Amino acid sequence: MSSVPSPTVNRCPDLAALSRAAARDLTTDIQETLRTQDRYTLALAGGSTPERLYALLAAEEEGSLPWSQIHLFWGDERFVPADHPKSNTRMATDTLLEAVPIPDHQVHPMPTHLASPDAAAAAYTETLQEHFADRSRTFDTVLLGLGSDGHTASLFPETGTAEARRSDDAWVRAVTAPPRHEISSRLTCTIPTLSGARRAVFLVAGEEKRSALTQVLDHADPSLPAAQIRPRDTLLWFVDAAARPSSPE
């Protein structure tokens, strides 16, 4: 079994600084990677935390990006229409896609227009399998968030046991979020699919994330899905001071 990369934690004063640091890191990795390969695959995160990052990428604040060589995917999605206010696809469209010259055929949203979440999960599995030979080598970078309950993508502590999540043989699953979440019907890449990424980059901001972040970073609590992400090469955390007031002694 390959070694698990140790997390590198980048602590930033606030969300604006976090977003700029993440934009700089991602821009650099895209530029350097495309010197040796023809395309770059990036899985986007939802929620509010990545919005500033996407705006910075759209504006190319940290450097120009070859959009003709970038393919975009999603790590998870709410099973709502693509124009729904809570759609991860809509958020990315509004903040990033409408502002950059990326070819339509290189944007791969989860197909929430299909009849059921299970059908959408099966279709997205086929999409991923068209681009990746197996789950051990998926995205160049997957962007991820952290919920106050320790969830990441749409994988929740209640989504099976830690062992079941780790050994899941599916690429994508339809899941039901716990009642504390506003929209229960979700699609998500599984832990093995997310861990097949070369790089996993977490973006975490806000005091409400502090306890979960401590459990993940300082205790590697396997009951929290965010602690189970094990990318092939690099595990980065960009966190703000509200979520991580100070580094552990």
Side-chain angles (χ1 to χ4, degrees), residues 36-106:
T36 58
Q37 63 188 50
D38 294 332
R39 68 169 189 167
Y40 192 97
T41 55
L42 172 64
L44 300 177
S48 59
T49 304
E51 289 186 28
R52 293 193 188 190
L53 167 61
Y54 296 167
L56 291 170
L57 295 176
E60 297 189 335
E61 291 281 345
E62 299 299 329
S64 62
L65 290 169
W67 293 103
S68 64
Q69 294 175 269
I70 297 172
H71 282 251
L72 297 179
F73 300 84
W74 273 258
D76 77 310
E77 181 60 277
R78 298 171 177 89
F79 193 70
V80 295
D83 60 355
H84 190 281
K86 295 292 187 179
S87 165
N88 292 342
T89 299
R90 175 175 173 170
M91 185 275 279
T93 298
D94 291 347
T95 56
L96 176 62
L97 301 181
E98 290 183 345
V100 301
I102 186 168
D104 289 345
H105 70 273
Q106 292 174 202

